Amino acid sequence: MNTMQTTPAARPAPSLEAVRLSKSFLSGVVRVQVLQGLSVALYPGELSLISGPSGCGKSTLLSLMSGLQAPDSGQALALGEDLGRMGARALEKFRLRHTGFVFQGFNLFPALTSLEQVQLPLGYMGLRSAEALRRAQQALDEVGLSHRSHMRPAELSGGEKQRVAIARAMAKAPQLLFADEPTSALDAESGQRVIDILHRAARSHGTTVLCVSHDPRLVRHADRVLGMEDGAIRSDWRQSSAFKEHDE
Ligand SMILES: Nc1ncnc2c1ncn2[C@@H]1O[C@H](COP(=O)(O)OP(=O)(O)OP(=O)(O)O)[C@@H](O)[C@H]1O
Ligand SMILES: [Mg+2]
């Protein structure tokens, strides 16, 4: 079902755009073409989901769109800026300011409490410690983990760890939030909670959420589902209500 019925004027400018992105990797003596001229535009306030078979290039696309890797050819535009034209320092600054990441494996520091995990990147951003503390507490509250603030990862469940990771990403108030298989290590209930939080980030903060997942529960909650195969987008489905707020 293609429900893209809104007029172009109702749609905001894309916040993330891939323009004929190509990327290959050398595997021994063989060059493997992972992305082949992939183009896609993503919009603020939406949770867009990329699904597709293992090895089709989903994580690679995420890393190109976030400036973690450079494409062989094509452009990755984020918030209107061509990431490939930024110098290394500008790119690092851009990523720190505007992007948040959530991974399957949580990537938390074992020695830090939940509150410290969330505060850490805020310090790198140059926020004063009182402001960092306030924002970190608020982010943990948003994911329902205020009562786990002083616990370390070993004392938390998988779902709680992932919610700390999301709080860490969201405390920066990034315009772009990337999540690679954020629910695949979680049970149904924790996974559902994580999905709700990501969706809320898109809805209430206008964040562009780009999420890679095989999780069928996530498909139902996404505003848009992009089906990827052999390094290209093969299908593009959008919920009819996705752009409602922009029509009003
Ligand atoms: N740094 C790298 N060096 C060499 N090959 C790589 C590299 N990164 C990815 N690849 C290859 O590119 C292809 C796509 O990888 P990618 O991680 O993007 O797939 P994916 O769709 O995320 O898969 P999965 O669902 O299993 O996570 C794979 O064949 C992988 O082996
Ligand atoms: Mg992957």
Side-chain angles (χ1 to χ4, degrees):
M1 177 176 57
N2 188 342
T3 48
M4 297 171 70
Q5 294 153 339
T6 49
T7 59
R11 190 170 298 159
S15 40
L16 275 176
E17 203 169 356
V19 185
R20 295 184 295 281
L21 278 184
S22 291
K23 181 75 179 172
S24 62
F25 293 106
L26 206 53
S27 171
V29 291
V30 182
R31 185 160 286 280
V32 182
Q33 191 71 37
V34 179
L35 299 184
Q36 320 224 33
L38 184 150
S39 295
V40 68
L42 303 163
Y43 298 90
E46 282 196 325
L47 169 58
S48 298
L49 177 75
I50 300 178
S51 70
S54 180
C56 76
K58 303 180 299 294
S59 297
T60 303
L61 177 62
L62 224 58
S63 81
L64 296 182
M65 294 310 294
S66 62
L68 203 59
Q69 292 191 70
D72 298 339
S73 63
Q75 290 170 296
L77 305 169
L79 306 176
E81 298 213 47
D82 185 344
L83 298 178
R85 296 178 78 95
M86 283 186 199
R89 284 197 61 176
L91 184 58
E92 196 185 324
K93 211 167 148 194
F94 181 92
R95 300 184 74 239
L96 188 61
R97 263 190 79 87
H98 299 297
T99 68
F101 279 87
V102 180
F103 301 98
Q104 177 180 354
F106 320 129
N107 290 20
L108 299 176
F109 294 102
L112 300 186
T113 66
S114 305
L115 190 62
E116 289 163 346
Q117 316 266 359
V118 182
Q119 277 177 288
L120 194 65
L122 301 177
Y124 293 149
M125 279 175 83
L127 293 189
R128 288 166 178 274
S129 56
E131 172 65 4
L133 176 64
R134 191 191 65 76
R135 277 221 219 170
Q137 283 170 332
Q138 191 188 336
L140 283 171
D141 191 38
E142 268 198 62
V143 300
L145 281 184
S146 296
H147 61 304
R148 299 282 188 264
S149 293
H150 297 290
M151 291 189 176
R152 294 185 170 76
E155 302 165 280
L156 301 172
S157 72
E160 288 170 340
K161 280 187 257 203
Q162 194 58 301
R163 278 149 63 198
V164 171
I166 294 177
R168 177 178 58 187
M170 284 177 33
K172 290 165 60 178
Q175 284 169 270
L176 310 171
L177 185 60
F178 299 92
D180 198 344
E181 304 280 2
T183 63
S184 53
L186 306 180
D187 62 61
E189 195 187 327
S190 310
Q192 186 64 54
R193 200 147 182 189
V194 161
I195 294 160
D196 289 343
I197 293 166
L198 291 175
H199 207 194
R200 202 158 359 109
R203 278 290 148 88
S204 54
H205 300 293
T207 312
T208 306
V209 185
L210 180 56
C211 180
V212 165
S213 182
H214 291 106
D215 192 335
R217 293 164 301 176
L218 240 163
V219 171
R220 274 189 283 127
H221 289 262
D223 297 305
R224 187 177 176 194
V225 181
L226 298 158
M228 206 172 152
E229 226 174 285
D230 298 330
I233 304 288
R234 303 281 184 210
S235 62
D236 184 352
W237 171 87
R238 176 177 272 127
Q239 297 262 14
S240 54
S241 63
F243 275 110
K244 222 175 197 165
E245 61 205 274
H246 304 295
D247 294 338
E248 286 163 3

